[in-house]
Structures are given as C-alpha cells and as structure tokens.
Amino acid sequence: MTVRVPAYTAAQVRAAERPLLDAGQPLMRRAASALAGVIRERLTDAASPRVLVIAGSGDNGGDALFAASELGAGVAVDVLAVGSRVHQDGLAAALGAGARQVSVDAAAAAASGYTVVVDGILGIGTSPDPALRGAARDAVARLLDTMGDGMPRRTVAVDLPSGLQPDTGVADDVVLPAAMTMTFGAVKAGLVIGRGPDLCGELVLVDLGLGPGLADEEPAGEASVTRILEA
C-alpha cells in the first residue's frame, strides 16, 4: 500500500524547518531515531548484523551517525567519514556506542559482509551540480565496483541518495542506488523526477512537523511513499 504526498523543493523544506530549529526542536535527533528504527528492521534476519555508515560533512552525516549510536548491542558498526570534516557530536555518539572508524580500503575489503550500508554523505544542501567529489566520490566508486549488483539491496539513503540533485533529479553514475530512502520532513522533488525514481528505491517519509511551514507553499510535485513515520 502506498500513500500519495506532495513533494517540495529544497528551499521550501529548509524554510519550513527554520522556525522549528530556531525554537530548539531537535530535528536531527528525531530523524536519527526514526532512521535507526528502520535500519534495525532490516537487520532482524542477519545472524551477525554489520552496518557501514558513510558520513559526509553536513547534517546528513550527523543523522547517520546518531542513528548508528542507537542501533544497540549486537550490531557491528563501521564508520567511514568522507567529508572535509565530520559531525563531531554524532561521531562521538557513534564511537561511544561501540562503532569503529575505518578507512576506505578497510570498508571496500569488508564490503560483501555489510548487511546494511547507510548513505549519509550529502543532503539538500548540495550545489546545483550534485556530483560527488573527492574522498566521497572515490569511496562510492570503490564500493560500487566491489559490491556491484549487491549494493542496491543493502543501501539505505539518508534523506536522498547522495549525488542526486534534490530539485531536479539529476545525477551521474557515481551514486549508491538505494533499497530504501528515508526522507525527512517532506519528500524532495528530485526523488520523483529525473533519475530519482531509479535511485531511491522504497520511499519512506519521516514526519518532523513541517506541515504548518509548508501549508502555503505550492508543491513541486507528488510522490508515493510506502510509509509515513512520526518522529
């Protein structure tokens, strides 16, 4: 069963988030808890669950790292930081919960053993040219080469697949195709046009209470989501 919901541009979503952030709403932690819950669902049948979190510099990396900190005992978590910096509080939380930080060589060598790969590299703050660059591009290219057709079955994208332009759905070939995309606050327009539908997999919306901020906005499109989770 799917639910039809509106899709919005990145600018519309950021504007709707701003009053909540200014009021001190912990949107990142709420999003991370919802993300952790869905990751745990995908680990239930694994005898020795193992998760790779690929974290970029921004809020998506923070979402992924805080989610990693909530996965609980019995889940081995590797963190691959690919940005020019890392969300320090999120990294501290993940490492404090038992995660270990790994190099791209170690992640590529272990790639076939990961039950879930969490793509937290880029979000809606990306530039008009969404292409991954530098260490992030190298890491994704290595994983795609190593895992091949197995990658789309394992990847959970945080908000949107990294490298997908959030408004236009433009992307090049160095993007991790997702089995599931958990999009926060509202569906981004780029998930339903261009390459978005081919890359995002199952689409799950996490409701962060942006409804009032989006009430007067004209949607940029419409999307089908399999679930709406309250966070």
Side-chain angles (χ1 to χ4, degrees), residues 114-202:
Y114 291 119
T115 317
V116 171
V117 175
V118 182
D119 170 9
I121 305 171
L122 290 179
I124 61 174
T126 190
S127 67
D129 177 2
L132 295 173
R133 295 174 174 80
R137 190 174 185 87
D138 292 344
V140 169
R142 289 277 301 277
L143 291 169
L144 286 170
D145 184 60
T146 302
M147 298 184 73
D149 292 341
M151 181 61 75
R153 296 193 300 272
R154 305 181 195 203
T155 302
V156 175
V158 180
D159 209 26
L160 73 168
S162 297
L164 179 73
Q165 215 288 332
D167 294 339
T168 66
V170 168
D172 66 16
D173 291 333
V174 185
V175 179
L176 297 179
M180 173 186 288
T181 295
M182 292 193 64
T183 193
F184 301 129
V187 175
K188 285 66 187 181
L191 291 168
V192 296
I193 58 175
R195 295 195 65 203
D198 295 329
L199 292 171
C200 74
E202 179 186 352

Side-chain angles (χ1 to χ4, degrees), residues 36-50 75 115-116:
V38 169
I39 294 170
R40 283 195 295 267
E41 292 175 3
R42 302 185 72 84
L43 299 175
T44 53
D45 294 331
S48 300
R50 191 172 183 185
V75 180
T115 317
V116 171

Side-chain angles (χ1 to χ4, degrees), residues 20 25-35 184 206-209 231:
L20 300 180
Q25 287 287 331
L27 298 188
M28 180 178 290
R29 298 306 298 262
R30 288 164 56 192
S33 291
L35 176 61
F184 301 129
V206 179
D207 184 354
L208 296 175

Side-chain angles (χ1 to χ4, degrees), residues 14-27:
R14 283 195 294 265
E17 289 175 339
R18 178 47 52 196
L20 300 180
L21 292 171
D22 289 346
Q25 287 287 331
L27 298 188

